[in-house]
Amino acid sequence: MNNKEKWIAFYTILRREIRRFMRIWPQTLLPPVITMILYFVIFGQLIGSRIGSMAGLPYIQFVAPGLIMMSVITNSYSNVVSSFFGLKFQRNIEELLVSPVPNWIILLGYIAGGMCRGLGVGILVTLMALYFTSFSIHSLTVTVAIVLMTSLMFSIAGLINAIFATSFDDISIIPTFVLTPLTYLGGVFYSINLLGDFWRDVSMFNPILYMVNAFRFGISGITDIDIIWSFSMVGLASIILFLYALYLLEKGSRLRS
Amino acid sequence: MDLPALSIKNLTKIYNDSFKALDGISLDVRQGDFFALLGPNGAGKSTTIGIICSLVRKTEGTISVFQHDVDQDFSSAKHLIGVVPQEFNFNQFEKPIDILITQAGYFGIKASIASVRAEKYLKQLGLWEKRNDFSRNLSGGMKRRLMIARALIHEPKLLILDEPTAGVDIELRRSMWNFLKEINGNGTTIILTTHYLEEAENLCRNIAIIDHGKIIENTSMKSLLKMLDRETFVLDLSNEIDACPEIEGYSISLKDQNQIEVEIPKSESLNELFSELSKKNISIISMRNKTNRLEELFLGMVEKNLGQESQK
């Protein structure tokens, strides 16, 4: 395939992915927005007004970046995991496997699809957040860079999950038992400085903590963690996951018999 | 001599559970051929097709398509192959037109060109009116034709069809035969697997029979049919008879009072049989072959191979 053909193949995968999540928007776009509205109403306004400030910010302004990041993470991940597993389940993946599309294009296409949904939902949730509170951007570069990298990383992770999954249970285990606890314990709702030394040290092993804090820094200038660490962690993890996903596709693991 | 459209050398496939699906098969298919790959269920046909199309990983051997090795030069090789799988594998929630344009996109074909081709093949296969319906709502025959259109969208030089007419009614099957004959006439090499042996006999010029992962016959259809030295005819009688007639040199059995079956060596004239029956006041109103000729040969070969395998 020449470069133009590769571009067409990439664009085809991306267009198909966008069409898929737009076609089923009541399942893909609406639920995260409703969930986040509930979070803002309950944690931001009802309970938040009694909590007061957190790390020097009104509580609703403290949780807003974390909630936006939470929606980006879960939607980037779930878009790729459900779409790619669906492709495998229906044997629809064979359309791609018999074609000359290189594996790295397949990988990029699905990552781009996951990022489009993750970022799209992130934008919708941000607009919702602006209805409940206001915030200015401390650093646009940091904000955009960390949200893009986080979405990228979780899109790749979703694809790896889909490759290994053999049933629909397998695509819900990681989001339910790994992603959700890590997100809730990743500094979305509290500053880790409130924790004792032991739990603060344990929290440092949670990758989502770094992403949420970098994003919060981009918006409000406040962070519990050095953002250089955040970018390094997310960047390194993305590279490792990308190479691993590519290796799995090249090997044909669980895709070719 | 033309280079082969498909060349398979020493192809072996051992699955993870140690099952040997293919045992070192070698096969050449000529350019422009209409080639039948036959075999009982589990013989290795779909595994062979799967390896050619990169859906199954081979254990050993080489495959080249129009001299392009499917491993070393996979992009060129894949551009040349179109495959119609045995089972429906398109997205049931997409529309036929979108399925074709998406598949073309995977081959790097621009949407403007893909749209023209999609219209052409959907019209040729009688699916144009259904182009905007969800594909899950199509009938079984329509779904099979949609997979043929999808396989042709990048205009491959080698089309591989894995039981394309399974579950399709006779009328539709005949129209699909005509379509396949037409694209073969236009130069596309076709490899067909089917359980309808009449289909293979009608369409294919060359044939390979695979069983237990080995090629047990690879020849032209004409040569294969010549190997059949006896035929069985079913004769419908105008009068009822109570006992089976006995005629020297023929093996006759009574099916019911109005029907007999006669096994005849191919070298024997039928005139003599009719004359002997007339002498016994038995008149014939119609006759037909008991089974498809190829079917008799196929069953004979597979049974013989089964006997050899069980002796090992």
Side-chain angles (χ1 to χ4, degrees), chain B residues 41-63:
Chain B
N41 287 331
K45 306 182 298 293
S46 295
T47 300
T48 307
I49 290 173
I51 295 173
I52 297 168
C53 306
S54 313
L55 296 175
V56 177
R57 288 175 287 182
K58 66 182 188 314
T59 307
E60 234 176 72
T62 58
I63 298 173

mmCIF file of all heavy atoms in Angstrom, chain B residues 41-63:
data_model
loop_
_atom_site.group_PDB
_atom_site.id
_atom_site.type_symbol
_atom_site.label_atom_id
_atom_site.label_comp_id
_atom_site.label_asym_id
_atom_site.label_seq_id
_atom_site.Cartn_x
_atom_site.Cartn_y
_atom_site.Cartn_z
ATOM 1 N N ASN B 41 -16.655 -32.654 5.449
ATOM 2 C CA ASN B 41 -16.504 -31.685 6.550
ATOM 3 C C ASN B 41 -15.256 -32.009 7.359
ATOM 4 O O ASN B 41 -14.985 -33.171 7.654
ATOM 5 C CB ASN B 41 -17.713 -31.750 7.478
ATOM 6 C CG ASN B 41 -18.946 -31.130 6.843
ATOM 7 O OD1 ASN B 41 -18.820 -30.228 6.019
ATOM 8 N ND2 ASN B 41 -20.109 -31.622 7.194
ATOM 9 N N GLY B 42 -14.488 -30.978 7.699
ATOM 10 C CA GLY B 42 -13.296 -31.180 8.522
ATOM 11 C C GLY B 42 -12.106 -31.698 7.745
ATOM 12 O O GLY B 42 -11.086 -32.074 8.343
ATOM 13 N N ALA B 43 -12.203 -31.700 6.420
ATOM 14 C CA ALA B 43 -11.103 -32.252 5.602
ATOM 15 C C ALA B 43 -9.902 -31.309 5.545
ATOM 16 O O ALA B 43 -8.770 -31.742 5.345
ATOM 17 C CB ALA B 43 -11.594 -32.541 4.195
ATOM 18 N N GLY B 44 -10.156 -30.014 5.702
ATOM 19 C CA GLY B 44 -9.066 -29.041 5.631
ATOM 20 C C GLY B 44 -9.278 -27.950 4.592
ATOM 21 O O GLY B 44 -8.405 -27.108 4.379
ATOM 22 N N LYS B 45 -10.457 -27.924 3.961
ATOM 23 C CA LYS B 45 -10.723 -26.923 2.915
ATOM 24 C C LYS B 45 -10.700 -25.504 3.476
ATOM 25 O O LYS B 45 -9.999 -24.635 2.975
ATOM 26 C CB LYS B 45 -12.105 -27.150 2.269
ATOM 27 C CG LYS B 45 -12.360 -28.516 1.719
ATOM 28 C CD LYS B 45 -13.725 -28.604 1.070
ATOM 29 C CE LYS B 45 -14.909 -28.375 1.982
ATOM 30 N NZ LYS B 45 -15.135 -29.397 3.004
ATOM 31 N N SER B 46 -11.489 -25.294 4.537
ATOM 32 C CA SER B 46 -11.583 -23.935 5.092
ATOM 33 C C SER B 46 -10.270 -23.506 5.733
ATOM 34 O O SER B 46 -9.933 -22.314 5.714
ATOM 35 C CB SER B 46 -12.721 -23.845 6.105
ATOM 36 O OG SER B 46 -13.944 -24.047 5.442
ATOM 37 N N THR B 47 -9.526 -24.463 6.285
ATOM 38 C CA THR B 47 -8.211 -24.122 6.853
ATOM 39 C C THR B 47 -7.291 -23.633 5.734
ATOM 40 O O THR B 47 -6.584 -22.631 5.886
ATOM 41 C CB THR B 47 -7.598 -25.347 7.558
ATOM 42 O OG1 THR B 47 -8.467 -25.750 8.608
ATOM 43 C CG2 THR B 47 -6.237 -25.039 8.136
ATOM 44 N N THR B 48 -7.326 -24.338 4.602
ATOM 45 C CA THR B 48 -6.489 -23.937 3.455
ATOM 46 C C THR B 48 -6.854 -22.519 3.017
ATOM 47 O O THR B 48 -5.969 -21.663 2.856
ATOM 48 C CB THR B 48 -6.694 -24.918 2.275
ATOM 49 O OG1 THR B 48 -6.473 -26.240 2.749
ATOM 50 C CG2 THR B 48 -5.752 -24.603 1.129
ATOM 51 N N ILE B 49 -8.148 -22.279 2.872
ATOM 52 C CA ILE B 49 -8.600 -20.946 2.443
ATOM 53 C C ILE B 49 -8.218 -19.906 3.496
ATOM 54 O O ILE B 49 -7.740 -18.821 3.162
ATOM 55 C CB ILE B 49 -10.129 -20.955 2.197
ATOM 56 C CG1 ILE B 49 -10.421 -21.785 0.951
ATOM 57 C CG2 ILE B 49 -10.671 -19.541 2.042
ATOM 58 C CD1 ILE B 49 -11.888 -22.008 0.697
ATOM 59 N N GLY B 50 -8.397 -20.261 4.758
ATOM 60 C CA GLY B 50 -8.050 -19.341 5.849
ATOM 61 C C GLY B 50 -6.577 -18.946 5.806
ATOM 62 O O GLY B 50 -6.236 -17.783 6.027
ATOM 63 N N ILE B 51 -5.719 -19.902 5.503
ATOM 64 C CA ILE B 51 -4.277 -19.585 5.453
ATOM 65 C C ILE B 51 -3.979 -18.688 4.247
ATOM 66 O O ILE B 51 -3.226 -17.721 4.361
ATOM 67 C CB ILE B 51 -3.430 -20.872 5.421
ATOM 68 C CG1 ILE B 51 -3.609 -21.656 6.733
ATOM 69 C CG2 ILE B 51 -1.951 -20.545 5.225
ATOM 70 C CD1 ILE B 51 -2.947 -23.022 6.752
ATOM 71 N N ILE B 52 -4.610 -18.995 3.111
ATOM 72 C CA ILE B 52 -4.374 -18.168 1.912
ATOM 73 C C ILE B 52 -4.756 -16.709 2.208
ATOM 74 O O ILE B 52 -4.072 -15.772 1.799
ATOM 75 C CB ILE B 52 -5.192 -18.688 0.700
ATOM 76 C CG1 ILE B 52 -4.745 -20.102 0.323
ATOM 77 C CG2 ILE B 52 -5.047 -17.755 -0.504
ATOM 78 C CD1 ILE B 52 -5.685 -20.817 -0.657
ATOM 79 N N CYS B 53 -5.846 -16.534 2.963
ATOM 80 C CA CYS B 53 -6.361 -15.176 3.224
ATOM 81 C C CYS B 53 -5.833 -14.576 4.517
ATOM 82 O O CYS B 53 -6.344 -13.549 4.954
ATOM 83 C CB CYS B 53 -7.875 -15.199 3.305
ATOM 84 S SG CYS B 53 -8.624 -15.919 1.902
ATOM 85 N N SER B 54 -4.881 -15.209 5.159
ATOM 86 C CA SER B 54 -4.273 -14.703 6.398
ATOM 87 C C SER B 54 -5.188 -14.757 7.611
ATOM 88 O O SER B 54 -4.954 -14.052 8.590
ATOM 89 C CB SER B 54 -3.793 -13.252 6.262
ATOM 90 O OG SER B 54 -3.088 -13.067 5.109
ATOM 91 N N LEU B 55 -6.248 -15.545 7.566
ATOM 92 C CA LEU B 55 -7.112 -15.653 8.741
ATOM 93 C C LEU B 55 -6.641 -16.765 9.668
ATOM 94 O O LEU B 55 -7.003 -16.809 10.837
ATOM 95 C CB LEU B 55 -8.560 -15.933 8.315
ATOM 96 C CG LEU B 55 -9.224 -14.825 7.503
ATOM 97 C CD1 LEU B 55 -10.594 -15.253 7.026
ATOM 98 C CD2 LEU B 55 -9.325 -13.548 8.314
ATOM 99 N N VAL B 56 -5.846 -17.663 9.113
ATOM 100 C CA VAL B 56 -5.301 -18.784 9.887
ATOM 101 C C VAL B 56 -3.786 -18.756 9.716
ATOM 102 O O VAL B 56 -3.294 -18.505 8.615
ATOM 103 C CB VAL B 56 -5.885 -20.126 9.378
ATOM 104 C CG1 VAL B 56 -5.276 -21.305 10.118
ATOM 105 C CG2 VAL B 56 -7.404 -20.151 9.508
ATOM 106 N N ARG B 57 -3.079 -18.988 10.831
ATOM 107 C CA ARG B 57 -1.604 -19.008 10.754
ATOM 108 C C ARG B 57 -1.130 -20.397 10.368
ATOM 109 O O ARG B 57 -1.563 -21.381 10.962
ATOM 110 C CB ARG B 57 -1.016 -18.611 12.109
ATOM 111 C CG ARG B 57 -1.204 -17.140 12.412
ATOM 112 C CD ARG B 57 -0.733 -16.808 13.795
ATOM 113 N NE ARG B 57 -1.653 -17.322 14.798
ATOM 114 C CZ ARG B 57 -1.511 -17.142 16.100
ATOM 115 N NH1 ARG B 57 -0.493 -16.492 16.576
ATOM 116 N NH2 ARG B 57 -2.396 -17.628 16.952
ATOM 117 N N LYS B 58 -0.264 -20.457 9.387
ATOM 118 C CA LYS B 58 0.210 -21.775 8.953
ATOM 119 C C LYS B 58 1.325 -22.257 9.881
ATOM 120 O O LYS B 58 1.985 -21.451 10.555
ATOM 121 C CB LYS B 58 0.713 -21.705 7.508
ATOM 122 C CG LYS B 58 1.949 -20.855 7.295
ATOM 123 C CD LYS B 58 2.289 -20.831 5.825
ATOM 124 C CE LYS B 58 3.585 -20.195 5.486
ATOM 125 N NZ LYS B 58 4.013 -18.986 5.993
ATOM 126 N N THR B 59 1.539 -23.575 9.890
ATOM 127 C CA THR B 59 2.644 -24.129 10.666
ATOM 128 C C THR B 59 3.890 -24.213 9.791
ATOM 129 O O THR B 59 4.996 -23.920 10.238
ATOM 130 C CB THR B 59 2.264 -25.534 11.189
ATOM 131 O OG1 THR B 59 1.024 -25.438 11.881
ATOM 132 C CG2 THR B 59 3.316 -26.077 12.143
ATOM 133 N N GLU B 60 3.676 -24.580 8.525
ATOM 134 C CA GLU B 60 4.792 -24.744 7.586
ATOM 135 C C GLU B 60 4.289 -24.531 6.171
ATOM 136 O O GLU B 60 3.102 -24.650 5.915
ATOM 137 C CB GLU B 60 5.307 -26.192 7.685
ATOM 138 C CG GLU B 60 6.787 -26.339 7.951
ATOM 139 C CD GLU B 60 7.140 -27.804 8.133
ATOM 140 O OE1 GLU B 60 7.119 -28.528 7.130
ATOM 141 O OE2 GLU B 60 7.392 -28.216 9.276
ATOM 142 N N GLY B 61 5.211 -24.285 5.260
ATOM 143 C CA GLY B 61 4.856 -24.208 3.851
ATOM 144 C C GLY B 61 4.856 -22.792 3.308
ATOM 145 O O GLY B 61 5.046 -21.828 4.061
ATOM 146 N N THR B 62 4.661 -22.688 1.997
ATOM 147 C CA THR B 62 4.631 -21.363 1.359
ATOM 148 C C THR B 62 3.401 -21.254 0.455
ATOM 149 O O THR B 62 2.934 -22.257 -0.079
ATOM 150 C CB THR B 62 5.891 -21.118 0.486
ATOM 151 O OG1 THR B 62 5.963 -22.151 -0.494
ATOM 152 C CG2 THR B 62 7.156 -21.090 1.315
ATOM 153 N N ILE B 63 2.935 -20.032 0.330
ATOM 154 C CA ILE B 63 1.807 -19.758 -0.582
ATOM 155 C C ILE B 63 2.156 -18.514 -1.375
ATOM 156 O O ILE B 63 2.596 -17.513 -0.806
ATOM 157 C CB ILE B 63 0.504 -19.483 0.204
ATOM 158 C CG1 ILE B 63 0.109 -20.710 1.016
ATOM 159 C CG2 ILE B 63 -0.625 -19.094 -0.736
ATOM 160 C CD1 ILE B 63 -1.055 -20.472 1.950
#
